[in-house]
């Protein structure tokens, strides 16, 4: 999948740990870890809304489409 | 709704256990009375639950043995299927039904039911063959084979519905 999750970048910018984010967003550490490591297959809007609210950012700051990676995957 | 489902599953588990014990008793009793009939031939007239195979016994001992052993194997297979159903229901109660182990269990039940059907057809063919050779008293002893429809439905359920359910479940697990 060519969707890149930059959650760790935003967490570093806001100086927030995964534990803290998990508590504030209300999602388990395991699920956040799945998202952070790029293993998630889908994200709910409610989750994205909560993350953006807590990290004070836009969805585009968290999610990025890597067209170059998709091309490499196709090769 | 979940409480009702659990109650139904518990009831089915109990029913499956009763079926399992029943088939084991049937197989064991048939085997025992068969062994007894080898020593005392008159036993062949009243095997398990009044089963009368004395005409086959008088006709040919080998055919008599194969017929009874087929019946014992059929009972054993039914007991095995009942036990697999117990395992399946236990796994369903443990967690999500759309798991690899549950699908594998259903596949096993399908294969065993297909084997049961083939063996039942073989038994019925043998009875017909014996009847054609003039052995009396076998007209109403053939077994039902209509359960092949259940096997087919179960197979479609396992291959299509369960597999799709597993895909959706796996996607749900990776949805945050």
């Amino acid at each position: 999948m060519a969707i890149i999750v930059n959650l760790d970048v935003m967490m570093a910018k806001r100086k927030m740990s995964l534990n803290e984010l998990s508590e504030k967003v209300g999602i388990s550490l395991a699920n956040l870890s799945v998202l952070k490591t790029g293993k998630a297959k889908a994200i709910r809007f409610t989750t994205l809304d909560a993350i953006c609210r807590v990290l004070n950012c836009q969805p585009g700051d968290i999610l990025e489409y890597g067209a170059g990676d998709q091309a490499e995957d196709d090769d | 709704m979940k409480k009702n489902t659990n109650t139904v599953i518990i009831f089915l588990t109990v029913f499956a256990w009763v079926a399992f014990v029943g088939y084991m008793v049937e197989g064991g009793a048939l085997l025992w009375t068969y062994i007894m009939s080898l020593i005392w031939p008159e036993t062949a007239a009243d095997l398990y639950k009044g089963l009368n195979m004395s005409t086959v016994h008088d006709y040919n001992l080998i055919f008599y043995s194969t017929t009874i052993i087929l019946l014992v194997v059929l009972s054993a297979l039914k007991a095995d299927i009942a036990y697999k159903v117990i395992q399946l229901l236990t796994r369903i109660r443990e967690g999500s039904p759309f798991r690899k182990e549950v699908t594998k269990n259903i596949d096993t039940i399908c294969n065993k039911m297909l084997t049961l059907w083939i063996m039942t057809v073989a038994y019925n063919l043998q009875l017909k063959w014996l009847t054609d050779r003039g052995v009396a008293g076998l007209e109403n002893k053939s077994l039902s084979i209509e359960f092949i429809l259940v096997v087919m439905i179960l197979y479609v359920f396992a291959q299509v519905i369960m597999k799709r359910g597993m895909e959706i479940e796996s996607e749900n697990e990776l949805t945050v």
Side-chain angles (χ1 to χ4, degrees):
Chain A
M1 212 194 309
I3 302 290
I4 300 162
V5 178
N6 295 320
L7 186 64
D8 45 356
V9 171
M10 278 317 299
M11 278 165 58
K13 279 186 183 173
R14 300 288 183 259
K15 295 183 177 55
M16 196 177 290
S17 68
L18 202 63
N19 275 327
E20 200 183 333
L21 183 65
S22 160
E23 275 171 36
K24 287 185 177 173
V25 169
I27 292 168
S28 68
L29 208 58
N31 277 346
L32 264 186
S33 187
V34 162
L35 181 63
K36 186 168 158 280
T37 54
K39 291 194 175 93
K41 286 205 169 147
I43 182 168
R44 295 186 183 92
F45 280 143
T46 48
T47 305
L48 191 57
D49 170 65
I51 290 173
C52 290
R53 191 175 351 102
V54 168
L55 293 176
N56 191 24
C57 64
Q58 291 294 313
D61 298 328
I62 309 279
L63 304 170
E64 182 190 331
Y65 177 67
D69 293 341
Q70 179 66 53
E72 281 169 20
D73 286 344
D74 287 344
D75 289 343
Chain B
M1 190 67 180
K2 200 174 176 186
K3 197 178 172 187
N4 279 346
T5 311
N6 263 342
T7 310
V8 168
I9 290 174
I10 291 168
F11 174 76
L12 289 173
T13 310
V14 168
F15 186 75
W17 269 112
V18 169
F20 171 70
V21 170
Y23 287 130
M24 290 289 279
V25 166
E26 183 184 77
L30 267 171
L31 190 63
W32 177 249
T33 47
Y34 163 70
I35 293 167
M36 290 292 109
S37 69
L38 294 176
I39 305 164
W40 296 290
E42 57 271 17
T43 319
D46 187 16
L47 297 166
Y48 183 69
K49 280 191 179 172
L51 179 66
N52 185 352
M53 289 284 182
S54 56
T55 49
V56 185
H57 184 278
D58 295 338
Y59 176 72
N60 187 298
L61 191 61
I62 293 170
F63 287 127
Y64 170 72
S65 300
T66 53
T67 307
I68 300 301
I69 285 167
L70 252 178
L71 279 175
V72 171
V73 168
L74 285 175
S75 293
L77 254 176
K78 287 176 198 171
D80 192 22
I81 290 169
Y83 190 70
K84 288 282 179 284
V85 170
I86 292 164
Q87 282 181 329
L88 173 70
L89 292 168
T90 309
R91 285 202 172 113
I92 287 172
R93 279 179 64 202
E94 279 169 3
S96 164
F98 296 109
R99 287 178 288 143
K100 207 173 170 184
E101 306 87 49
V102 174
T103 309
K104 201 176 164 189
N105 207 313
I106 295 175
D107 276 343
T108 308
I109 291 172
C110 277
N111 291 336
K112 287 190 188 285
M113 283 187 76
L114 189 62
T115 309
L116 179 70
W117 184 79
I118 290 167
M119 296 195 74
T120 307
V121 168
Y123 173 78
N124 288 347
L125 283 173
Q126 179 165 351
L127 283 191
K128 187 175 181 311
W129 189 86
L130 287 168
T131 307
D132 291 344
R133 296 264 169 316
V135 179
L138 298 177
E139 293 78 20
N140 298 325
K141 290 194 172 61
S142 60
L143 302 171
S144 167
I145 56 169
E146 281 79 22
F147 65 89
I148 187 65
L149 292 172
V150 174
V151 178
M152 280 162 30
I153 291 167
L154 205 59
Y155 187 74
V156 167
F157 179 75
Q159 293 302 318
V160 178
I161 296 170
M162 286 299 289
K163 288 211 163 113
R164 183 72 190 120
M166 266 173 58
E167 279 169 20
I168 293 170
E169 183 78 11
S170 140
E171 247 182 60
N172 274 344
E173 276 172 12
L174 293 172
T175 297
V176 295

